[in-house]
Amino acid sequence: MSIKKITQLNKNNHDKVGKKFSPTLLRFFRRKWLNIWQSNPPGTVLLLCGLCIAVIMSIPIIYVVWRSLFAGTNRWVRLLDQRIPQLLGNTLSLTAAVTASTIIIGVSLAWIVIRTDIPGKKTWRWLLAMPLTIPPYVGAMAYIIVFGHSGWARDLWQGTPWLVNTLGDYAINIYSFEGVFFVLTMFTYPYVYLIVSASLQKTNRNYEDAAYSQGMSTSEVFWKVNLPLLRPAIGAGAVLVSLYVLGDFGTIAMLRYVTFTAAIYFQRAGFDTASAAVLSLVLIFLTIIILWIESKTRKKSRYYQTSNTYRKPLTLKLGKWRFLVFLYVSLIFFVSVLLPISVLIYWSKIGISMGALDDRFFGFVFNSLKVSGFAALICMLFAMPIIYLKARYPSVITSFIDRLSYGGYALPGVIVALGFVFIFNNHLPILYGTFYIVALAFVVRFLPQAMQAGEASLSLLSPRIDEAARSLGYPPWKVMLKVILPNMLPGVLAGGALVFVSSIKELPATLMLRPPGFDTLAVRVYFEASEAIYHLAAPAALLIIIVSITPLQYMLKKY
């Protein structure tokens, strides 16, 4: 037989096999695909939108990890020998101290406000949550004014001779571990306070009655019954505080304390991006470890309540402790809200009288509104496909998309910004040095806020609305835009408002990515306060606080 005939015979056999098995393979893959989606696939357009958004959210982190792995052995060895151990000590000690103190303060305040007869319970519930409206770097500026080297406290101290003669020279040093610890504690405890308060309001009284019937005292009931039930809420609040402390830059930079975020920023400022990537990778590992520890401990301590026998918890009488408890609550409110806001009002009046509200100031306001508004708009657009896929088309794929979208929220802004520096500087230079890159970094950081608000609204809409629209021939993406979006618009707008306010307060990403001359309110507060030009910094800081009241109202309604 000739070679030509053999070749022709092989080709014919291959065609027969292909015709025989191709439909079988197609049916197999189609069946697997339908099983993934429970026989309800979302459609190509909607799925591609979700995948593209997830890729955008994850690229900065992946790029930082990739860059650090190829930073060179010498750089790794040098940083491990000299820099990383010190940064680990500073970062972990500060994180542990602030987290422990916020748990103590947050749980105690929540218990007092929710479970006791302290006067003005409803008012205190609002007032004690107000530190969330004050960014910690703004609080740091206020306390530098009070306790700095030329602050009010030193002037008051030295103006009282008998105090100096009795106790010696002024000894409080705000530029220290203790100073950073105090400021971060005072402005992050509401994370624990709000979540524990919500949990306390849902605690079933039956458990306490059962404990009292066994002869337990009030303190024993708290430690053996209430506290275990509060464990998930305390853990959730503690994780939020820990992640905030890990990622904070403004406070530690203003108070001259060095952690990983400050080191990453200054390495980038010195154009040593490889070292910055190495430090970022270590910080990413710390974040993952914290999340892993919290998830493991939560799994080991699960507690369930039944709603059919729910009874509202008792209000405990303070009795002889009423004055001391009221004094404790008032002191926390004074140092975390009243004092810093009073300082800002004082310096704002001076600044306004000196012409601080000029064209330059309103330029900062316009820049903040522009970049934050653009970020909020993109977040509302990006959040919709992801939450719709997750709610209406649950699968392994949508769960993966959802987790990628949350990646930037769990990581410090300096790492997200560093990823964008690598990507846009090397591959998309046309966008590098524009405000669009700042807005996109805000999207990566705060998209989950828009998603959470949207999910709450979507959960109230019946899937039968989707089914009715699909029966009329609408593809999934058109159902989402024309039917679902108009019905959940209030939730989407609420998420956009949260992103807007968070973006106005964001400092490290703005500092690292802003184009030349593009200053926002947060940036000017940082620079003016660093130069001790408080009459220019205070009006901008006060405006940020006023705008931040919006998410506080949302949180109080939620919790």
Side-chain angles (χ1 to χ4, degrees), residues 345-358 535-536 539:
I345 291 174
Y346 172 81
W347 276 105
S348 293
K349 288 183 177 179
I350 295 176
I352 292 171
S353 66
M354 295 177 65
L357 302 185
D358 53 8
H535 70 281
L536 295 180

Side-chain angles (χ1 to χ4, degrees), residues 69-274:
L69 293 177
F70 293 94
T73 306
N74 292 335
R75 184 173 276 105
W76 270 96
V77 171
R78 176 171 57 84
L79 290 172
L80 286 171
D81 287 343
Q82 302 173 7
R83 196 77 172 127
I84 291 177
Q86 178 190 0
L87 293 174
L88 272 176
N90 290 351
T91 303
L92 292 179
S93 60
L94 182 64
T95 303
V98 173
T99 303
S101 61
T102 52
I103 289 174
I104 295 170
I105 294 174
V107 173
S108 62
L109 291 177
W111 181 264
I112 290 168
V113 171
I114 302 299
R115 295 300 309 275
T116 72
D117 63 343
I118 185 174
K121 291 179 62 168
K122 292 183 178 179
T123 304
W124 279 122
R125 184 169 181 262
W126 160 262
L127 293 178
L128 292 174
M130 279 193 67
L132 277 184
T133 65
I134 306 174
Y137 59 84
V138 172
M141 181 190 76
Y143 274 100
I144 289 172
I145 295 173
V146 177
F147 293 111
H149 296 315
S150 58
W152 295 355
R154 174 178 285 274
D155 294 340
L156 178 64
W157 186 279
Q158 293 181 344
T160 312
W162 67 269
L163 276 177
V164 177
N165 295 332
T166 305
L167 301 176
D169 197 9
Y170 179 69
I172 297 177
N173 182 17
I174 195 68
Y175 300 104
S176 62
F177 173 87
E178 292 77 15
V180 180
F181 160 75
F182 171 77
V183 170
L184 286 175
T185 298
M186 286 299 101
F187 299 104
T188 57
Y189 81 78
Y191 289 115
V192 179
Y193 163 74
L194 282 175
I195 299 176
V196 172
S197 296
S199 183
L200 277 172
Q201 293 181 78
K202 298 175 184 177
T203 302
N204 197 330
R205 175 180 161 185
N206 291 340
Y207 298 106
E208 297 179 21
D209 289 344
Y212 284 127
S213 69
Q214 298 297 318
M216 290 186 183
S217 64
T218 302
S219 61
E220 288 177 324
V221 170
F222 174 78
W223 290 105
K224 295 183 178 180
V225 178
N226 296 118
L227 201 58
L229 291 173
L230 294 175
R231 162 66 189 86
I234 294 172
V239 165
L240 289 177
V241 172
S242 299
L243 294 179
Y244 189 93
V245 176
L246 280 181
D248 181 78
F249 169 76
T251 307
I252 60 173
M254 292 178 69
L255 297 179
R256 303 171 191 173
Y257 188 78
V258 181
T259 61
F260 272 103
T261 50
I264 292 167
Y265 175 80
F266 292 121
Q267 290 284 2
R268 166 67 185 91
F271 301 100
D272 188 358
T273 54

Side-chain angles (χ1 to χ4, degrees), residues 38 41 59 76 181 189 199 223 240 301 303 316 374 416 433 441 446 452 486 538:
Q38 300 176 5
I59 281 179
W76 270 96
F181 160 75
Y189 81 78
S199 183
W223 290 105
L240 289 177
S301 55
Y303 303 92
L316 303 175
F374 190 67
V416 175
F446 304 121
Q452 289 171 349

Side-chain angles (χ1 to χ4, degrees), residues 14 23 39 46 49 59 84 86 96 118 121 176 192 240 252-253 270 276 295 307 309 338 401 437 465 484 512 515 554:
H14 182 269
S39 300
L46 185 60
C49 286
I59 281 179
I84 291 177
Q86 178 190 0
I118 185 174
K121 291 179 62 168
S176 62
V192 179
L240 289 177
I252 60 173
S295 65
S307 59
T309 59
L338 198 57
I401 291 173
I437 187 176
I465 299 176
I484 300 300
M512 294 179 67
Y554 174 81

Side-chain angles (χ1 to χ4, degrees), residues 326-406:
F326 187 83
L327 185 63
Y328 167 68
V329 173
S330 301
L331 179 63
I332 296 295
F333 174 70
F334 175 77
V335 298
S336 63
V337 178
L338 198 57
L339 179 59
I341 289 183
S342 299
V343 171
L344 294 178
I345 291 174
Y346 172 81
W347 276 105
S348 293
K349 288 183 177 179
I350 295 176
I352 292 171
S353 66
M354 295 177 65
L357 302 185
D358 53 8
D359 292 340
R360 180 171 172 267
F361 174 82
F362 288 108
F364 303 151
V365 174
F366 176 73
N367 289 341
S368 294
L369 295 177
K370 180 170 69 170
V371 69
S372 300
F374 190 67
L377 179 62
I378 297 177
C379 278
M380 288 187 287
L381 294 175
F382 279 14
M384 198 58 215
I386 297 175
I387 60 177
Y388 188 68
L389 282 168
K390 180 183 176 182
R392 296 297 195 251
Y393 302 95
S395 69
V396 176
I397 297 174
T398 51
S399 296
F400 181 71
I401 291 173
D402 182 66
R403 290 177 182 177
L404 285 180
S405 301
Y406 273 85

Side-chain angles (χ1 to χ4, degrees), residues 366-377 435 439 442 496 499-505 520:
F366 176 73
N367 289 341
S368 294
L369 295 177
K370 180 170 69 170
V371 69
S372 300
F374 190 67
L377 179 62
F435 87 94
F442 290 167
V499 173
F500 177 81
V501 174
S502 298
S503 300
I504 282 182
K505 296 191 291 185
T520 62

Side-chain angles (χ1 to χ4, degrees), residues 412-477:
V414 289
I415 294 181
V416 175
L418 191 63
F420 274 86
V421 169
F422 291 151
I423 294 167
F424 286 89
N425 192 28
N426 295 326
H427 305 295
L428 292 169
I430 191 172
L431 291 177
Y432 190 71
T434 67
F435 87 94
Y436 297 106
I437 187 176
V438 181
L440 195 55
F442 290 167
V443 172
V444 174
R445 288 278 289 124
F446 304 121
L447 177 64
Q449 292 182 352
M451 291 168 57
Q452 289 171 349
E455 284 177 15
S457 294
L458 184 58
S459 65
L460 301 176
L461 300 178
S462 172
R464 295 184 180 277
I465 299 176
D466 307 57
E467 295 171 4
R470 292 291 300 276
S471 68
L472 296 175
Y474 275 31
W477 66 270

